[in-house]
Amino acid sequence: MPAAASTPHAAPTGPMISVIGLVKSFGAKQVLNGIDLAVGRGESLVLVGGSGAGKSVFIKHLIGLIQPDEGHVVVDGVDLTLAPPETVLALRKRFGMSFQEGALFDSKTVFDNIAFPILRHRTRDRGQVAARVRECLELVRLPGIEDKMPSELSGGMRRRVGFARAIALEPEILLFDEPTTGLDPINTAAIGNVINQLRSELGVTAVTITHDMNLARRIADRIAMMRRGRILSIDTPDLFQRSDNWFVRAFLDGEVPEEDRP
Amino acid sequence: MAERPSAGPLAWLDHFGRSVLAALDELGRFFYIMSSSVLWSFRRPFDGAELLRQMVRVGWDSIPVVFLTCLFTGMVLALQTYRGFERFHAEGFVGSVVALSLTRELAPVLTGLMVAGRVGSAMAAELGTMRVTEQIDALYAMATEPIHYLVVPRVNASILMLPVLTIIGDAVGIIGGWLIAVGLFDANSYLYVDRTFQFLEVNDVTSGLIKAAFFGLILSVTGCAKGFYTAGGAEGVGRATTSAVVTACLYILLSDFFLTKVLF
Ligand SMILES: Nc1ncnc2c1ncn2[C@@H]1O[C@H](COP(=O)(O)OP(=O)(O)OP(=O)(O)O)[C@@H](O)[C@H]1O
Ligand SMILES: [Mg+2]
């Protein structure tokens, strides 16, 4: 297990990711209002919530792309807000992240995009790299597009290439920001299957943001509802489905809740 | 944090204070990018292919621009000095003046300014676009320091290529001066060439090349810093690009004075 390799003396215990009292503002706008959350080892947490609730800002804190104003993010015992840059950089090798807008390198081909983390952190062996890139593209049902440039792809294809790049190194911790938004049901199901496959085969820890309740039910151990920079509720998919929280109900039923109506 | 714009008689003070803070911020970023790119230059992995790619972009691709700039500068320099020196019968020294002005001052500065416009702006636009489309975040997420991967090859390529371009500029400019003197004013070719090298010392050329390397550092760090700290979408990228050129030219001209003071 890679997790054991990095902490050879102590058996890994405790949650993989703990978030304590996270507060973040941009200028005068407070985006995160004190978030406490723990994600267990091998757990798959799905984060849902209205647009602008702060989900993307939150998930970027988990890998240290944004520093909080207050609070801490602890990943496998390392506090990202206190650790030296070296440690954070090393820790990120254990992460895979896909971005809401894909964030593909637009001057590189699809092949070079997916090969990027492999070449930097795994192997320079051409054959092995090519094999892994092909494998990843097949997982997201896009075989044979290695030579295309990102600008030649549709939005959904770009998103899937971003997903393929995130899983290329078979990382221990996966962060997906809306991996299936804008995808058809079949490709959405395929992405869900890949996430579940990674969980059962490699025991990865995953945090996924999505608006798609079908995907959420399929991959989640727990579903967290975020609203206005807070975690409103956090439940297993079954309990979440039957939640009597007024906002969760409105979210599930697709209605504008009383409080938000003008 | 209420950022209320203060009105009244002291508004100018408020405005002035903000401008000073912004300028200091700017300078801080410049030195942060510069120092960290130096530190990361010595870290593995060394990306030789990327360095080469950037050297082609900064060096090879800039040759036409530098060629034309220095050719015409050498020509106009000969034209002007010939007219002036004629008045006190010193035409014989035109070759020396052209050679000294070019190697010590004009070739490095003009090369720096032209490359700042060509390459510094491109660096700002490129890194700025990567910033606003989250590609820089993606680099961090893939455990890659963007300074190492993006900035180091650009800065090193510029430091290496600017002196090379300046040598080309020196040679082309001197030839341009010779063309005018001999072609237009019927100067004695042998004498002109002799005068060109009579007063030219090795130090004249090397000091120009050292300057050029500094200008390469300045323009690439400015371009990268502007791009790296871009905010505000496509408009922000546009702002970063423009201000990269203006700032780099300003820094080049200011530092030119102090470098000249130190180097001679
Ligand atoms: N860099 C930034 N500067 C200023 N404000 C920001 C920045 N990033 C995010 N915000 C603000 O933070 C709030 C939350 O943004 P975020 O992207 O996290 O929303 P989200 O929950 O991911 O929404 P969506 O479902 O639409 O992606 C928004 O109001 C946004 O305007
Ligand atoms: Mg988002």
Side-chain angles (χ1 to χ4, degrees), chain A residues 6-217:
Chain A
S6 65
T7 49
H9 303 300
T13 50
M16 186 60 112
I17 304 172
S18 333
V19 177
I20 306 142
L22 210 59
V23 173
K24 180 70 185 178
S25 307
F26 291 105
K29 182 174 168 51
Q30 186 152 11
V31 177
L32 302 182
N33 298 314
I35 293 187
D36 296 283
L37 184 70
V39 187
R41 285 165 201 281
E43 188 187 13
S44 169
L45 180 83
V46 166
L47 201 56
V48 298
S51 182
K55 305 181 296 294
S56 297
V57 170
F58 173 71
I59 207 171
K60 284 179 189 167
H61 277 87
L62 301 183
I63 188 172
L65 291 178
I66 303 180
Q67 284 293 331
D69 299 335
E70 285 169 41
H72 297 273
V73 177
V74 182
V75 176
D76 200 11
V78 178
D79 189 332
L80 291 184
T81 56
L82 303 175
E86 296 295 306
T87 315
V88 177
L89 202 63
L91 192 66
R92 290 203 187 108
K93 289 182 191 164
R94 296 164 57 191
F95 277 90
M97 177 167 184
S98 77
F99 288 79
Q100 191 166 354
E101 307 298 338
L104 298 182
F105 300 128
D106 47 23
S107 58
K108 291 183 187 296
T109 62
V110 167
F111 180 92
D112 289 337
N113 264 283
I114 301 174
F116 186 89
I118 310 172
L119 284 168
R120 281 196 82 87
H121 302 307
R122 176 79 35 96
T123 171
R124 301 200 72 85
D125 181 295
R126 281 229 139 288
Q128 280 178 22
V129 174
R132 181 63 189 150
V133 171
R134 195 176 330 112
E135 209 170 78
C136 288
L137 280 174
E138 269 159 19
L139 282 176
V140 297
R141 295 161 40 90
L142 286 171
I145 64 157
E146 277 94 337
D147 295 331
K148 290 226 188 312
M149 297 300 287
S151 57
E152 298 174 272
L153 305 178
S154 75
M157 288 164 86
R158 269 199 286 266
R159 211 174 282 254
R160 284 185 282 160
V161 172
F163 182 90
R165 185 176 69 178
I167 62 170
L169 278 180
E170 303 184 316
E172 288 168 69
I173 309 166
L174 288 164
L175 308 177
F176 299 123
D177 193 347
E178 303 197 15
T180 63
T181 304
L183 293 190
D184 58 279
I186 294 173
N187 278 309
T188 301
I191 296 277
N193 289 343
V194 173
I195 296 175
N196 279 336
Q197 192 185 332
L198 289 168
R199 295 179 58 206
S200 59
E201 286 173 10
L202 301 171
V204 298
T205 307
V207 177
T208 311
I209 297 174
T210 185
H211 294 296
D212 182 338
M213 289 314 298
N214 278 326
L215 178 76
R217 271 191 295 273

Side-chain angles (χ1 to χ4, degrees), chain B residues 70-132:
Chain B
C70 289
L71 179 71
F72 277 85
T73 304
M75 280 163 53
V76 82
L77 211 55
L79 212 59
Q80 294 278 28
T81 44
Y82 220 97
R83 286 268 154 73
F85 282 21
E86 248 175 358
R87 296 173 195 166
F88 41 90
H89 308 292
E91 305 95 306
F93 291 101
V94 169
S96 318
V97 170
V98 169
L100 286 179
S101 332
L102 275 169
T103 53
R104 292 171 72 110
E105 180 65 25
L106 288 172
V109 171
L110 290 175
T111 303
L113 295 179
M114 293 315 283
V115 177
R118 246 200 100 251
V119 179
S121 58
M123 289 176 182
E126 220 175 349
L127 267 63
T129 306
M130 292 186 74
R131 167 64 78 188
V132 300

Side-chain angles (χ1 to χ4, degrees), chain B residues 156-222:
Chain B
N156 288 342
S158 304
I159 295 176
L160 291 173
M161 292 321 286
L162 262 277
V164 176
L165 288 169
T166 300
I167 291 212
I168 296 174
D170 286 346
V172 171
I174 287 173
I175 292 171
W178 174 85
L179 278 175
I180 292 299
V182 173
L184 214 61
F185 295 107
D186 292 324
N188 180 315
S189 171
Y190 173 80
L191 214 62
Y192 185 92
V193 174
D194 194 50
R195 281 284 160 78
T196 295
F197 295 104
Q198 188 178 357
F199 297 107
L200 193 65
E201 288 168 16
V202 175
N203 172 261
D204 295 325
V205 178
T206 49
S207 71
L209 299 187
I210 294 171
K211 270 192 195 176
F214 261 100
F215 297 158
L217 175 76
I218 288 172
L219 71 90
S220 55
V221 170
T222 311

